[in-house]
Amino acid sequence: MTTLSATAGLRHACTVLSRPGLIRLVTEIDDNGPIPPRSLTRTLPDLSDNHLHHTVRQARALGLVCHQPGVGLSLTPSGSGLADIYDALARVARRHHLPASVCDFTSRVQHTLTLFAMPVLTTEQTERVSKTVAEDLDGTRALLQQWLQENPQLTQGAEPVLAA
């Protein structure tokens, strides 16, 4: 049985993990390897400098990335696990055309995390979700919950406070 605090923790974790900058940073490093020093703005040019620096500070505070001297910004084992979760979420969303038939990776991940953050589906949402979609979502939810158990920093209380 899911407790209120576990539901609140899952909702908080889904909110944090669905931030576009975090999704982009983690998947960029996962797909293309470490980001060399001073290459962050070239790697993610559509994000402002402030947004990038805040995202990197947040990812470091959550234990998802680390700076390796001579290599650059790399994923930690926790960050690599999250990248796998993001890929699984996007695959399920793409397979079932969520939130739309044509949409980008970040939007697919965000939409799926939003579904997980909802405590209860409304009748209308339940009618729109087929049994196959529900089964696929349950499978990816289980992966996310396992990752969250291994990374409790996202469900134990508030998000780390970062100076602006």
Side-chain angles (χ1 to χ4, degrees), residues 30-120:
D30 184 56
D31 291 346
N32 298 307
I35 298 174
R38 299 188 179 103
S39 296
L40 194 57
T41 55
R42 279 194 317 261
T43 303
L44 300 168
D46 56 319
L47 300 178
S48 71
D49 285 347
N50 284 343
H51 191 189
L52 281 171
H53 293 297
H54 176 74
T55 299
V56 170
R57 284 193 314 265
Q58 180 185 45
R60 281 185 177 152
L62 294 171
L64 303 175
V65 299
C66 64
H67 178 78
Q68 294 181 330
V71 176
L73 197 60
S74 302
L75 292 178
T76 63
S78 178
S80 292
L82 179 58
D84 293 341
I85 298 296
Y86 282 159
D87 287 340
L89 295 172
R91 271 193 308 276
V92 168
R94 186 175 47 249
R95 184 179 313 126
H96 299 290
H97 308 287
L98 300 172
S101 294
V102 178
C103 130
D104 65 11
F105 181 88
T106 300
S107 297
R108 291 185 194 285
V109 171
Q110 287 177 309
H111 181 76
T112 308
L113 286 168
T114 300
L115 292 175
F116 292 163
M118 287 186 221
V120 178

Side-chain angles (χ1 to χ4, degrees), residues 72 134 158 161:
V161 177

